[in-house]
Amino acid sequence: MGKIKWKPGNMIYPLPAVMVSCGKNEEEHNIITVAWTGTICTNPPMTYISIKPERHSYEIIKRNKAFVINLTTEALLRATDYCGVRSGKNENKGKKMKLNLVNTEEIMAPLIEESPVNILCEVVEIKKLGSHDMFIAKIQSVYVDENLMDGQGKFHLDAAKLFAYSHGVYYSLGEKLGTFGYSVKKKTMGPTKKKKK
């Protein structure tokens, strides 16, 4: 099988498309959709988002040192796309998309109530990289929808109907192929039947 060499570029797909909410009060609230986000440390829990300096949310997040990563679902697909292609300089995207922005006690940024998972982040460093600057943040707390928890306290994120972004296209998540560590997990033997005498 042959290979074709391309110029250097970002081809790490699929990615999450998340709505990032920011602003310390209703007048300042804004939502920006980003795909440049991810986990960078487990202990302490840390994450990042990368934003172009010309985006409206950039100065809001830089000023307040806070943002919320809101996971997105199929039901939020249109709002997710809209908040990525429209600017908060010209309109209130939350109101336009009928999203409820709720202020938090922990940080100076609101969470999106309709999102199944809200990750509250405090900025600890801004790295200038080129086209985008990276906001490195500590995760202060996480809020999850009650209806994703079962009676035993287990979290069922798969029931939220999340979607992924890949090279300009949104995709629903497909069937489960395996679980973490399945490739090395020892097979368990089923119950043995007693032989009849």
Side-chain angles (χ1 to χ4, degrees):
M1 179 175 67
K3 294 280 187 180
I4 298 171
K5 185 178 179 180
W6 281 8
K7 65 178 181 178
N10 293 310
M11 290 299 290
I12 302 171
Y13 291 110
L15 295 163
V18 300
M19 288 191 285
V20 174
S21 48
C22 58
K24 64 182 178 181
N25 52 44
E26 191 174 344
E27 292 72 34
E28 196 180 47
H29 285 171
N30 194 46
I31 303 168
I32 180 174
T33 299
V34 302
W36 305 151
T37 184
T39 299
I40 53 175
C41 188
T42 301
N43 189 18
M46 296 183 72
T47 185
Y48 80 95
I49 56 173
S50 290
I51 306 176
K52 290 181 178 181
E54 59 265 30
R55 297 299 296 267
H56 182 60
S57 293
Y58 181 95
E59 288 299 329
I60 298 172
I61 295 171
K62 183 179 179 182
R63 183 166 56 248
N64 295 315
K65 303 273 193 295
F67 59 88
V68 179
I69 295 175
N70 304 276
L71 299 193
T72 51
T73 66
E74 292 177 18
L76 293 170
L77 178 59
R78 187 171 182 275
T80 303
D81 185 68
Y82 190 91
C83 290
V85 296
R86 291 284 189 248
S87 174
K89 290 178 185 175
N90 308 316
E91 63 180 321
N92 186 317
K93 293 186 277 187
K95 286 184 178 177
K96 178 76 175 180
M97 291 289 102
K98 297 181 172 59
L99 298 172
N100 294 303
L101 294 174
V102 180
N103 284 326
T104 65
E105 294 179 358
E106 295 95 328
I107 60 171
M108 287 195 291
L111 60 79
I112 298 175
E113 194 171 35
E114 291 78 7
S115 168
V117 179
N118 317 100
I119 304 165
L120 280 59
C121 306
E122 180 186 359
V123 177
V124 295
E125 185 180 352
I126 303 171
K127 291 187 77 70
K128 293 193 168 294
L129 300 174
S131 63
H132 292 64
D133 287 356
M134 178 188 284
F135 289 81
I136 298 173
K138 282 186 179 179
I139 298 171
Q140 297 298 328
S141 56
V142 177
Y143 289 84
V144 300
D145 281 2
E146 291 176 333
N147 60 4
L148 295 177
M149 304 294 293
D150 66 20
Q152 287 73 46
K154 186 176 179 182
F155 182 46
H156 294 274
L157 186 57
D158 55 316
K161 294 190 176 179
L162 303 178
F163 63 87
Y165 174 80
S166 184
H167 205 53
V169 181
Y170 304 108
Y171 293 95
S172 61
L173 300 182
E175 63 180 300
K176 182 169 76 173
L177 301 176
T179 56
F180 179 76
Y182 84 96
S183 63
V184 295
K185 187 177 179 182
K186 291 181 179 178
K187 291 182 180 178
T188 56
M189 301 294 289
T192 55
K193 292 181 180 178
K194 290 183 179 178
K195 291 182 180 179
K196 291 181 181 177
K197 291 182 179 179

